[in-house]
């Protein structure tokens, strides 16, 4: 059982149950106003066109269970994350970013990008 399901069921108290119900109303409003969309394949997307992560997808599924395809949305989300990470790992820091690293860590030091593991001599 997810945290949101516990809130909605009332297991965490009346306050959280009320807030969970309000959240579902906001999600419904976002669907009605097209801030959240569901495409022909059932993939739920946010206002900038990215597939929804599990926390929001769970709420959309509760509001529109017949419209959203959870497995397709998860697969699309994972593909988008993989692509974003691949792009991040292959990018080179700009001159301005190198200048900021030199200013922050000092010239002659090695800075390690904790996400990609790449090392930069500044």
């Amino acid at each position: 059982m997810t945290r949101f399901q516990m809130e909605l069921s009332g297991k965490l108290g009346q306050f959280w149950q009320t807030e969970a119900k309000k959240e579902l109303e906001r999600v419904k409003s976002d669907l009605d106003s097209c801030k959240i969309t569901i495409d022909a394949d059932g993939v739920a997307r946010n206002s900038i066109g990215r597939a929804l992560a599990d926390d929001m997808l769970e709420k959309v599924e509760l509001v529109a269970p017949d419209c959203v395809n959870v497995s397709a949305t998860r697969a699309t989300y994972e593909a988008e994350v993989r692509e974003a990470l691949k792009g991040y790992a292959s990018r080179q820091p700009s001159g301005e970013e190198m200048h900021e690293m030199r200013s922050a860590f000092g010239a002659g030091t090695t800075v390690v990008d904790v996400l990609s593991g790449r090392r930069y001599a500044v």
Side-chain angles (χ1 to χ4, degrees):
M1 178 175 272
T2 66
R3 164 73 189 217
F4 187 74
Q5 290 169 341
M6 291 187 330
E7 290 173 2
L8 194 58
S9 72
K11 287 185 178 184
L12 301 178
Q14 183 62 44
F15 172 80
W16 290 112
Q17 185 176 36
T18 302
E19 292 302 308
K21 288 178 181 179
K22 287 179 188 176
E23 178 66 13
L24 288 180
E25 290 172 16
R26 285 189 292 270
V27 169
K28 182 169 180 1
S29 174
D30 287 349
L31 280 164
D32 292 342
S33 66
C34 295
K35 289 181 182 176
I36 297 174
T37 58
I38 301 172
D39 66 19
D41 296 325
V43 176
R45 297 183 178 278
N46 62 19
S47 61
I48 60 173
R50 294 193 179 131
L52 297 181
D54 278 345
D55 58 340
M56 186 58 84
L57 179 58
E58 173 185 23
K59 296 166 189 171
V60 170
E61 184 183 18
L62 289 170
V63 173
D66 296 333
C67 300
V68 67
N69 183 327
V70 173
S71 59
T73 302
R74 283 184 177 143
T76 302
Y77 175 80
E78 289 170 11
E80 289 174 356
V81 169
R82 273 194 307 277
E83 192 62 32
L85 290 175
K86 188 182 345 173
Y88 178 82
S90 66
R91 71 180 277 286
Q92 291 295 322
S94 68
E96 181 180 355
E97 290 170 321
M98 291 299 288
H99 176 74
E100 289 174 358
M101 285 190 267
R102 270 191 297 281
S103 295
F105 301 108
T109 60
T110 300
V111 177
V112 179
D113 182 329
V114 296
L115 295 178
S116 67
R118 295 176 84 181
R119 296 175 179 271
Y120 302 100
V122 297

